[in-house]
Amino acid sequence: MKQRINILTLGVTDLKKSMQFYQGMGWQTQGIIGTEFENGAIVLFDLDNGMKLSLYERKNLAWDSKIKLQPESATEFSIGYFVNSDKEVDTIMKQAEKAGAKIIKPAQKTFWGGYAGYFQDLDGHLWEIGHNPSWKIEE
């Protein structure tokens, strides 16, 4: 198995509201697709390097994977989005809040020498927006 991820699927409660949140973050999508299939409605966002982010209702993800629907938990993982300056972190945190995110930890200097903050999207997924001065992010 090679070290890559092709698609990251987030289980969401309300597909339309979640799609609108990410559109509020400036992300582009063709909208909700797959509605011709029972339990098939999904939203896809094309990311850099051929990767995709998908939104799929939690109940459908449980159905498709044959796993019992689990309680939500924001501490299972976080999604990291890193940029090249502290100012960019602040801009994205403000954009997320305007789109409906809950700011969990305002952007601030970190213990590891960077600058970062956390927000939760409408379904409680934890996002870290950060700047690590030792990383150059290719735009």
Side-chain angles (χ1 to χ4, degrees):
M1 185 173 177
K2 296 182 180 179
Q3 291 183 202
R4 70 170 179 250
I5 295 174
N6 302 95
I7 187 166
L8 174 64
T9 299
L10 299 179
V12 301
T13 302
D14 184 315
L15 194 58
K16 185 176 179 181
K17 282 185 180 179
S18 294
M19 176 186 69
Q20 290 169 338
F21 170 79
Y22 286 97
Q23 288 175 318
M25 294 299 295
W27 289 25
Q28 303 297 311
T29 180
Q30 294 179 4
I32 298 172
I33 60 172
T35 56
E36 68 273 23
F37 305 107
E38 184 177 1
N39 304 307
I42 194 168
V43 174
L44 293 171
F45 296 94
D46 293 325
L47 307 178
D48 291 340
N49 301 315
M51 190 172 166
K52 294 186 184 298
L53 175 74
S54 89
L55 307 177
Y56 194 39
E57 287 189 350
R58 294 177 72 245
K59 64 183 172 108
N60 291 339
L61 185 56
W63 169 84
D64 190 37
S65 65
K66 306 296 184 222
I67 293 177
K68 183 179 175 186
L69 186 60
Q70 306 287 313
E72 296 176 21
S73 174
T75 57
E76 295 298 320
F77 68 94
S78 69
I79 303 165
Y81 185 92
F82 277 66
V83 294
N84 289 312
S85 73
D86 295 359
K87 183 179 178 185
E88 287 177 272
V89 171
D90 291 334
T91 298
I92 293 168
M93 292 292 287
K94 287 176 188 167
Q95 183 180 13
E97 187 171 34
K98 183 178 179 185
K102 179 180 179 183
I103 304 300
I104 301 301
K105 180 180 178 184
Q108 57 194 264
K109 293 290 181 190
T110 65
F111 69 91
W112 45 265
Y115 185 78
Y118 285 92
F119 70 80
Q120 284 182 300
D121 69 11
L122 301 183
D123 292 281
H125 299 113
L126 190 61
W127 283 76
E128 178 184 19
I129 308 300
H131 169 229
N132 183 333
S134 66
W135 292 355
K136 170 66 176 148
I137 305 300
E138 298 298 324
E139 297 293 339

